[in-house]
Amino acid sequence: EAQVTQNPRYLITVTGKKLTVTCSQNMNHEYMSWYRQDPGLGLRQIYYSMNVEVTDKGDVPEGYKVSRKEKRNFPLILESPSPNQTSLYFCASSLRMTGIPYQPQHFGDGTRLSIL
Amino acid sequence: DAKTTQPPSMDCAEGRAANLPCNHSTISGNEYVYWYRQIHSQGPQYIIHGLKNNETNEMASLIITEDRKSSTLILPHATLRDTAVYYCIVRALGGTASKLTFGTGTRLQVTL
């Protein structure tokens, strides 16, 4: 089954303790992205990757790192989490983001992070 | 990307058509209209997109006005499973556009 898998689905942790949220897709998609969703603010893009070894900042990259060493994986790293990073996080992938025809984004089921 | 305006909430009886409006009066000629929905904090799901012609797929129909300043997403026979937040997004296809900008959407409640 074609899917985007995020782990963990839920995590409660403390300020300053490094954590990684994994994202994996099995559709051979070139494009992957991370979003965070907060009440009243909609989904905001954190980082994206157009292909292997190509990553770039989105709208809210501060406090986050990513890497894209393999096509299928795009982990989100919080080196020193803080309470303002408490949020619902989504990973998404798309076959590509340029050109025609439009390739819709496929989203994972989300990771709810609570930073105390 | 052009700004979109959607009503914050709508109700629809099960089995009836749900018509969700979206205003995008500043849309430019190369911008498409996309619709996604999000069911109760799950990941958003793509529904449909269009440029200027009406579009239909297995999930919904998209009606875009001739001047392209507004559009309507139609779910022809809404079910309880269609209860979700629906997002109308306007953006150009291709180029360096690399993200979807989700607004606050319309919360559709389908009732018995």
Side-chain angles (χ1 to χ4, degrees):
Chain A
E1 180 188 350
Q3 59 186 1
V4 177
T5 303
Q6 297 178 226
N7 280 296
R9 294 291 314 281
Y10 304 91
L11 179 63
I12 301 174
T13 188
V14 296
T15 299
K17 186 176 181 182
K18 180 180 178 180
L19 68 91
T20 299
V21 184
T22 63
C23 175
S24 179
Q25 50 91 6
N26 62 359
M27 296 168 280
N28 201 36
H29 284 173
E30 292 180 357
Y31 175 88
M32 297 186 75
S33 178
W34 276 102
Y35 295 85
R36 62 178 287 175
Q37 185 172 32
D38 303 288
L41 296 176
L43 278 92
R44 295 178 292 168
Q45 190 184 52
I46 304 170
Y47 269 95
Y48 66 94
S49 169
M50 300 294 278
N51 215 324
V52 177
E53 300 292 0
V54 180
T55 63
D56 211 343
K57 296 177 181 178
D59 295 323
V60 289
E62 294 78 21
Y64 304 95
K65 284 176 58 177
V66 293
S67 68
R68 187 91 181 275
K69 295 186 173 62
E70 311 161 277
K71 203 170 192 178
R72 63 182 292 128
N73 296 322
F74 190 46
L76 179 70
I77 304 158
L78 285 72
E79 293 269 3
S80 183
S82 62
N84 65 11
Q85 293 178 297
T86 292
S87 187
L88 178 58
Y89 291 84
F90 290 102
C91 179
S93 74
S94 172
L95 186 61
R96 66 182 67 86
M97 282 298 282
T98 58
I100 295 171
Y102 176 69
Q103 304 291 334
Q105 289 194 40
H106 299 256
F107 285 79
D109 286 333
T111 295
R112 192 170 291 279
L113 288 185
S114 292
I115 316 294
L116 305 177
Chain B
D1 297 335
K3 179 179 168 59
T4 62
T5 303
Q6 299 177 253
S9 64
M10 294 183 66
D11 292 329
C12 178
E14 190 176 34
R16 308 283 258 198
N19 298 286
L20 293 98
C22 180
N23 183 287
H24 32 79
S25 58
T26 60
I27 193 170
S28 58
N30 67 341
E31 288 182 317
Y32 285 67
V33 180
Y34 304 86
W35 284 84
Y36 279 72
R37 73 180 182 183
Q38 187 175 22
I39 298 172
H40 187 59
S41 296
Q42 296 178 18
Q45 175 190 26
Y46 166 79
I47 302 172
I48 198 166
H49 76 283
L51 181 63
K52 55 184 177 181
N53 297 320
N54 297 339
E55 302 287 345
T56 296
N57 63 20
E58 65 279 3
M59 289 183 69
S61 294
L62 175 60
I63 308 298
I64 302 174
T65 57
E66 194 167 339
D67 63 9
R68 302 211 320 123
K69 293 184 177 182
S70 66
S71 60
T72 301
L73 178 75
I74 301 171
L75 308 178
H77 305 286
T79 70
L80 297 177
R81 286 192 298 265
D82 292 320
T83 293
V85 178
Y86 288 77
Y87 298 97
C88 170
I89 300 163
V90 171
R91 52 158 277 185
L93 184 68
T96 57
S98 61
K99 69 176 186 287
L100 297 173
T101 301
F102 290 79
T104 51
T106 295
R107 184 173 297 277
L108 175 68
Q109 180 70 51
V110 180
T111 57
L112 291 171

